[in-house]
Amino acid sequence: MCGIVGAIADRDVVPVLIEGLKRLEYRGYDSAGIAVVDGNEVRRVRRTGRVTEMEAAAGAEGFAAGLGIGHTRWATHGGVTELNAHPHISHGVALVHNGIIENHEEQRARLSALGYAFESQTDTEVIAHLIHHHLKNGDGSEPGPDLLAAVQRAVKELDGAYALAVVSRKEPERIVCARMGCPLLIGLGERENFVASDVSAIVQATRRVIFLEEGDTAEVTRDGVRVFGDDGARVEREEHLSDVSLASLELGPYRHFMQKEIHEQPRALGDTIEAVMDTGAFGPTLFGANAEEVLADVESVQILACGTSYYAGSVARYWIESIAGLPCSVEIASEYRYRTAVANPNQLIVTISQSGETLDTMEALKYAKSLGQMRTLSICNVPESAIPRASRLAYYTRAGAEIGVASTKAFTTQLVALFTLTATLAKLRGRLPEDQEAGYIDALRHLPGSVQHALNLEPQITAWAERFAPRQHALFLGRGVHYPIALEGALKLKEISYIHAEAYPAGELKHGPLALVDADMPVVVIAPKDSLLEKVKSNMQEVRARGGELFVFTDQDSNFGESEGVHVIRTPRHVGVLSPIVHTIPVQLLAYHTALARGTDVDKPRNLAKSVTVE
Ligand code: AGP
C-alpha cells in the first residue's frame, strides 16, 4: 500500500526520490507525489496514475533540490484525486504519511475552528495543519518551536497509525520523521541520509539502516540522525546492514516478478532450510535464544494469518496435529481480532505474514496478547518488520524480496518454516524418534531438487493454461493436507487472471458444488499418491459423470492414466510429508500462464496491494 521515501544530500535528490517511488510501486498505489525544499520555498508535484507520469511533470517543471520527500498513495480516506495525493502542505510544512488517523474528524473540526482551510478529504492533511499549528507560539506568532518539537507535539494528539516524513521551507536542513504502527527506517549514507517505509526504496543509495521503534521521532540532516523515544528523550537505535540486494529488486531475464519468484523457489527453500541443514537437527534454538521457554509445554497452537499466509497455516494444521500431536486451530486474522476468544496462556500463537506489516494480522496478535497469550511466534519474510518485532520469537523465511503481489516463494518458504516448527514441537514432546528426524532432514535436503523438477513441467502447464484462458470459472479440489493447496491454486488464479475460482475439499463436492459442474467448468485436482488418493479418484468420477473436464496434478507414484476428459500432469516422485510444497508449483505456474494468456497485469493485479496495511 502507501510508500514513503525522503532524502537530504549535497546532490539533487529528485532522481533518488523518483527511483525510490518506482521501487515502492510493487506495494500497490494509485497516485504519487514529491515535495522538495528549494531555497526557502516548498515545491510540490502530484499525479494520479503511475510514478512515471509524476516524474514527467517534475521534469517539465525543472524540479531539483537537495532535500525532498515522496509518496505513493493507495486511497483510503478520499478518492483517487490529485488533491488527495501526498505530500500535503500547510503554510510551507509538507508531509507524507502512511497509516490511518482515527481521530481525524475531531482534529479537522478543531483546526477548521482555528481557521485552517482543507483542500483534501484525507486524514493526512489534518497532520500537516496540526504541525503548523504547533509551530506557532501560544499567541499565534511565529517563529515558535522548531519543526522537531512541533512534530513531537502534534503526534501526541493523533490516534491511529502513522509513519511520517516532514519538511519545512523554514528549516531546509532537516527531515523530521515519526513512527507509530507503521514501519519507517532511516538510511545512512556519506554526508547524505534517507528516510523510507521500506528498505527497497533506498537500497540503490545505501544498505545501512536504522529501524525506528514505535513512538520514535527523529531528525535527519545531511550529517547525522538524532532519534527520540516516546517520552521525547534521546535514544540510540542500532544500525543494521540490510540483506536486500538490488538484484532481488530487478527483473533480470524474466518477464514478470511473479515468474522470477516462482523460479527462485529452489534457492529460496534452500536458504530457508540452511539453518536446519547446518545443525542437522530440529530444535528450539532455530527459533531464537529464549525459544525453549516459549515452546516447551505448549498445550495447543493457534495460527493467525491472512490470504496465502492463512493457507500456509492451514497446511501446518495437518502437520502439527498428526506429527506433534497438538491441537491446532487456524483462523483468518481479521475474524479472530473481533471475536471473543478463549484465552489459554499455554497456547502458542503463531502469526504468519510475508510482509510482517499486515494490519489485520498485527491486530490479531495484539488482541491475543491482550488476552494474556504471551507465547508468540512470528513467521515472516521481512526482518525487523512490525509483526516479528511484536512477537517473542521470530523465524525468518529467506525467500528474498517478493515483489509480485501474488505470493509464491513466500508461501513455500513459510511451509518449510512451519514444518520445522512442527518437527521441533514434536521433538520437545518426545514424539520424534531419531530415525524419523533423520528422515525429515533428508526430505528437506531433497526438497529444492523436487521443486526444480516440478518447475520443469512449465511447458506442459503452459499448454493447459491456453485452455483455461477463455474460461470464466474454475473449480479446484484437494483432500487432506492438499486441500489448502487447492485453495491456494484457486486464490492465485482469481487474483491474477480474474477467473472466478473456488476450491473445495473433494469429499464436499456432492454437498453442493457438484451442481456447478458441466462441460464449461474445468476442474483442477491435486491428487498425489497419499492415503486419500482412492477417495479423490471416486470424487473425480463424480465430476466425469456430469461431463466435467478434469485437469489432474498427481505424482509419479500414482497409477493414474489419461482418458477422455481427464488430463494428467505428473509431478516428481512422491516426496511424502512435504508433498504439499511440491504440488504448489504447478498451481502457481497454471495461474501465471493463464494470466499471461489473458493479458492481465500479472505483478500488479487490479484493486490489490502487496502489503495490506489498512483494514
Ligand atoms: C497472496 O497472493 C495475496 N496477495 C495475499 O493473500 C497475501 O498473502 C495476504 O494479504 C497476506 O499478506 P502477508 O503474508 O504479507 O501478511
Side-chain angles (χ1 to χ4, degrees):
M1 292 190 158
C2 304
I4 288 176
V5 63
I8 182 162
D10 287 329
R11 56 180 166 143
D12 174 17
V13 297
V14 172
V16 178
L17 300 179
I18 299 287
E19 185 171 354
L21 293 180
K22 286 182 179 170
R23 291 195 189 281
L24 291 170
E25 285 188 301
Y26 79 97
R27 296 170 62 88
Y29 72 106
D30 38 50
S31 52
I34 59 172
V36 295
V37 182
D38 188 0
N40 56 3
E41 188 195 350
V42 171
R43 299 180 68 200
R44 166 178 68 180
V45 59
R46 301 178 288 181
R47 287 292 181 274
T48 57
R50 297 291 189 213
V51 172
T52 44
E53 290 162 43
M54 190 272 293
E55 178 185 16
E61 291 179 39
F63 270 59
L67 169 61
I69 52 176
H71 193 258
T72 47
R73 172 177 188 252
W74 193 87
T76 56
H77 293 67
V80 182
T81 64
E82 208 167 293
L83 284 180
N84 286 335
H86 301 208
H88 288 278
I89 297 181
S90 176
H91 307 273
V93 173
L95 68 79
V96 289
H97 165 225
N98 286 358
I100 288 180
I101 302 305
E102 286 162 8
N103 61 342
H104 70 101
E105 283 175 356
E106 176 193 322
Q107 292 290 359
R108 183 180 275 252
R110 174 184 159 215
L111 289 158
S112 298
L114 287 167
Y116 285 98
F118 285 81
E119 64 167 26
S120 80
Q121 301 153 305
T122 64
D123 51 341
T124 301
E125 195 180 359
V126 160
I127 315 172
H129 290 319
L130 195 58
I131 293 169
H132 178 259
H133 169 66
H134 282 293
L135 275 170
K136 294 183 289 191
N137 292 306
D139 59 3
S141 66
E142 297 184 57
D146 65 13
L147 186 63
L148 174 66
V151 170
Q152 286 172 332
R153 287 183 196 181
V155 294
K156 291 287 175 216
E157 294 176 352
L158 301 176
D159 293 336
Y162 52 81
L164 297 173
V166 192
V167 294
S168 164
R169 69 182 158 89
K170 292 196 174 153
E171 298 184 41
E173 295 298 327
R174 61 183 48 88
I175 304 174
V176 173
C177 11
R179 175 207 162 146
M180 179 67 83
C182 294
L184 196 64
L185 56 91
I186 294 167
L188 306 172
E190 294 302 320
R191 257 196 73 72
E192 55 184 26
N193 289 308
F194 309 89
V195 180
S197 52
D198 178 330
V199 72
S200 59
I202 54 166
V203 77
Q204 76 276 15
T206 183
R207 289 173 51 217
R208 291 170 52 216
V209 294
I210 292 172
F211 296 97
L212 293 186
E213 307 241 341
E214 294 292 71
D216 280 358
T217 49
E219 179 188 67
V220 181
T221 62
R222 278 177 187 76
D223 294 314
V225 175
R226 293 192 304 153
V227 183
F228 304 85
D230 205 13
D231 59 0
R234 185 86 194 268
V235 288
E236 291 302 320
R237 300 283 177 232
E238 208 184 325
E239 181 183 323
H240 299 259
L241 193 63
S242 167
D243 62 5
V244 172
S245 66
L246 260 186
S248 71
L249 304 173
E250 269 151 23
L251 259 183
Y254 295 96
R255 199 161 159 191
H256 295 101
F257 279 104
M258 182 181 180
Q259 185 193 25
K260 176 180 183 233
E261 288 156 8
I262 289 173
H263 282 273
E264 279 175 347
Q265 288 177 105
R267 194 274 310 148
L269 290 163
D271 287 354
T272 303
I273 60 180
E274 194 178 79
V276 183
M277 294 302 128
D278 286 352
T279 52
F282 298 104
T285 49
L286 294 166
F287 294 86
N290 61 345
E292 184 145 10
E293 194 186 309
V294 179
L295 299 179
D297 308 321
V298 158
E299 288 171 5
S300 61
V301 179
Q302 171 71 65
I303 299 177
L304 302 169
C306 304
T308 286
S309 297
Y310 168 75
Y311 296 146
S314 305
V315 171
R317 182 168 72 91
Y318 289 89
W319 287 336
I320 291 171
E321 296 220 338
S322 65
I323 299 171
L326 282 166
C328 177
S329 313
V330 193
E331 192 160 347
I332 290 186
S334 56
E335 286 296 307
Y336 177 85
R337 62 179 284 202
Y338 288 117
R339 75 175 174 84
T340 308
V342 178
N344 174 359
N346 292 329
Q347 182 177 61
L348 178 66
I349 299 286
V350 179
T351 51
I352 311 170
S353 174
Q354 183 283 132
S355 60
E357 290 179 30
T358 304
L359 186 82
D360 284 321
T361 309
M362 184 65 183
E363 291 303 320
L365 173 62
K366 284 187 191 161
Y367 173 54
K369 285 164 69 173
S370 76
L371 297 175
Q373 309 240 151
M374 303 318 279
R375 295 176 188 245
T376 54
L377 162 67
S378 156
I379 291 177
C380 186
N381 194 41
V382 181
E384 299 296 329
S385 53
I387 296 172
R389 284 163 73 101
S391 307
R392 278 182 75 187
L393 303 181
Y395 191 101
Y396 288 108
T397 50
R398 290 176 57 199
E402 191 178 68
I403 307 292
V405 163
S407 189
T408 52
K409 60 181 180 172
F411 177 68
T412 47
T413 54
Q414 284 167 350
L415 288 177
V416 291
L418 287 159
F419 185 76
T420 303
L421 173 65
T422 304
T424 298
L425 290 170
K427 194 168 175 177
L428 285 170
R429 292 169 54 78
R431 288 176 58 106
L432 190 66
E434 267 179 32
D435 56 339
Q436 196 176 353
E437 180 171 15
Y440 286 164
I441 302 265
D442 209 40
L444 282 176
R445 183 176 297 113
H446 288 102
L447 183 65
S450 305
V451 165
Q452 185 55 56
H453 276 111
L455 287 168
N456 296 344
L457 299 170
E458 192 162 9
Q460 288 161 261
I461 297 170
T462 308
W464 278 13
E466 295 295 331
R467 306 169 71 153
F468 273 70
R471 308 294 184 105
Q472 293 307 313
H473 306 274
L475 210 53
F476 283 68
L477 303 177
R479 284 193 89 142
V481 72
H482 294 92
Y483 164 50
I485 304 307
L487 287 163
E488 171 62 3
L491 177 63
K492 286 286 93 84
L493 190 68
K494 67 186 141 197
E495 194 174 18
I496 59 166
S497 77
Y498 316 148
I499 291 176
H500 169 230
E502 297 286 341
Y504 280 92
E508 187 66 7
L509 204 55
K510 55 191 173 295
H511 298 291
L514 201 53
L516 296 170
V517 172
D518 62 13
D520 294 327
M521 174 69 88
V523 180
V524 180
V525 191
I526 319 295
K529 180 163 171 42
D530 62 11
S531 59
L532 290 168
L533 180 61
E534 292 309 316
K535 305 279 178 206
V536 176
K537 279 183 181 169
S538 307
N539 303 136
M540 288 195 289
Q541 293 302 333
E542 294 161 8
V543 172
R544 270 313 289 148
R546 274 92 193 159
E549 195 176 5
L550 290 159
F551 295 83
V552 186
F553 292 115
T554 187
D555 49 42
Q556 302 288 351
D557 301 74
S558 73
N559 54 349
F560 211 90
E562 294 232 351
S563 57
E564 200 193 332
V566 183
H567 313 283
V568 177
I569 289 181
R570 286 180 195 286
T571 56
R573 290 194 70 87
H574 187 60
V575 297
V577 74
L578 300 178
S579 168
I581 302 177
V582 174
H583 278 85
T584 301
I585 310 303
V587 297
Q588 293 173 343
L589 288 169
L590 181 63
Y592 173 70
H593 285 286
T594 305
L596 207 59
R598 286 168 72 95
T600 53
D601 190 347
V602 172
D603 285 334
K604 299 188 199 83
R606 66 186 180 201
N607 307 336
L608 299 180
K610 184 66 184 165
S611 294
V612 186
T613 50
V614 297
E615 270 207 82

